[in-house]
Each structure stands twice: as structure tokens, then as C-alpha cells.
């Protein structure tokens, strides 16, 4: 992964840098070919919001978000970095959140997972600190220090791409 966001240059001290590099290697291993950009197949959610037993309609696509209070941060297919640095996909303006706190991986088959990236205070999912890649479901609560985030999704019709010309 040559993504400049996942270099360890911002870390001070060898132990933190090695933890970060180990977390980065685990993130790379988890991605595989399922995170390559391309056509995203319609997804049936495993656990729809509000406990309903509704499946995504035929031709529907899922768009994932992180809800931070009233703010919605869209997530893209592949690796989405979360932290306080301005080049993260999801920027959390909170001095307690690490510069690169965690990453959310969206696979093209609709699976989603969260990885802590050697943050100082760890990442908590639904009240439990995560120790490795952890599956995300719609409605999951993510705690970065004292910042509460919610993993959300939107289900809508796939619109065919318009052809130029």
C-alpha cells in the first residue's frame, strides 16, 4: 500500500512507529482484491437499521457513512482513514483523537470492517475495545476517546451512468 496517509513518519519514538507499521500490515492483508474500485454489486444488509427485517430492493446500492453528531461523512470503496489530520477521509476535529486513529474498509461485496491504527487511546466499538480487524454493522457505535460516531448506511436505486456524446 503506497498510500501516503499510512506512512509512520508522523509518529515519534520507535515503539509507536512499530505498532503503527504492524497495524498497517494487518490492514493491507485484510484488503485484498475485494476493495478495488469498480462496480459495486447490490448489497443485502445483514442487520438493517432499527432492527427491521427488510432487505435491500433489487437494483439497490448501499452507501456507507460515519455520523458525527449532525455531520455525515461519506465512506468510499476501499480504505477510509479516520483521524484529526486534514488529509484523512473522515476528519474528526478533536485534540484527543489520534492523527490517524482508525481505518474503515469497505469491500465491494458490502462487507465492512474497522481497524485501529495504533492510536494512543484505542478504538471502542459498541462498548468494547477492538484488538484487530472487527466487522462493522449498520448502527454500530464507534468511540474515539470521548467522540461518539455511528456507522450508517443509505439504500437507494442504482442510476445508470449517462453516456457523453
Amino acid at each position: 500500500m503506497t498510500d501516503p496517509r499510512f506512512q509512520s513518519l508522523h509518529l515519534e519514538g520507535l515503539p509507536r512507529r512499530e505498532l503503527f507499521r504492524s497495524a498497517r500490515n494487518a490492514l493491507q492483508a485484510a484488503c485484498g482484491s475485494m476493495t478495488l474500485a469498480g462496480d459495486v454489486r447490490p448489497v443485502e444488509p445483514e442487520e438493517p437499521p432499527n432492527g427491521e427485517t427488510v432487505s435491500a430492493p433489487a437494483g439497490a446500492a448501499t452507501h456507507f457513512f460515519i455520523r458525527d453528531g449532525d455531520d455525515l461523512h461519506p465512506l468510499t470503496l476501499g480504505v477510509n482513514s479516520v483521524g484529526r489530520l486534514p488529509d484523512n477521509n473522515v476528519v474528526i476535529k478533536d485534540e484527543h483523537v489520534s492523527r490517524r486513529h482508525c481505518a474503515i474498509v469497505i469491500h465491494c461485496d458490502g462487507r465492512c470492517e474497522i481497524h485501529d491504527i495504533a492510536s494512543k487511546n484505542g478504538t471502542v466499538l459498541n462498548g468494547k475495545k477492538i484488538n484487530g480487524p472487527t466487522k462493522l454493522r449498520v448502527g454500530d457505535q464507534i468511540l474515539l476517546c470521548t467522540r461518539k460516531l455511528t456507522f450508517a448506511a443509505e439504500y437507494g436505486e442504482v442510476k445508470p451512468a449517462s453516456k457523453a456524446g
Side-chain angles (χ1 to χ4, degrees):
M1 181 180 295
T2 59
D3 192 328
R5 294 171 300 163
F6 295 105
Q7 302 304 317
S8 57
L9 302 175
H10 67 280
L11 296 175
E12 58 286 324
L14 187 61
R16 285 271 332 275
R17 185 167 284 135
E18 290 306 315
L19 285 173
F20 180 89
R21 288 178 179 165
S22 175
R24 179 186 61 201
N25 290 339
L27 178 62
Q28 288 174 325
C31 290
S33 63
M34 296 303 288
T35 58
L36 297 176
D39 295 331
V40 179
R41 294 188 304 270
V43 175
E44 273 195 45
E46 289 182 29
E47 293 185 8
N50 303 324
E52 300 169 4
T53 57
V54 179
S55 62
T62 304
H63 304 282
F64 296 101
F65 301 90
I66 290 292
R67 184 179 302 278
D68 180 14
D70 291 334
D71 296 331
L72 273 183
H73 302 279
L75 301 173
T76 60
L77 188 65
V79 178
N80 297 272
S81 60
V82 180
R84 72 173 194 266
L85 285 178
D87 65 340
N88 283 300
N89 298 94
V90 177
V91 178
I92 306 296
K93 295 179 182 176
D94 185 321
E95 64 187 23
H96 298 106
V97 173
S98 293
R99 289 175 256 193
R100 302 257 185 251
H101 202 102
C102 63
I104 297 174
V105 179
I106 307 294
H107 296 279
C108 67
D109 63 358
R111 291 178 299 117
C112 305
E113 56 197 41
I114 188 168
H115 298 248
D116 183 74
I117 307 182
S119 62
K120 278 190 176 180
N121 298 306
T123 301
V124 176
L125 182 65
N126 297 325
K128 295 180 182 177
K129 189 172 183 176
I130 64 171
N131 294 316
T134 306
K135 187 176 188 176
L136 273 175
R137 294 189 174 134
V138 173
D140 279 351
Q141 299 294 307
I142 303 165
L143 187 64
L144 308 181
C145 299
T146 58
R147 198 61 167 264
K148 294 179 185 176
L149 310 172
T150 304
F151 183 66
E154 180 180 86
Y155 307 98
E157 290 299 316
V158 174
K159 295 179 182 174
S162 60
K163 294 183 181 181

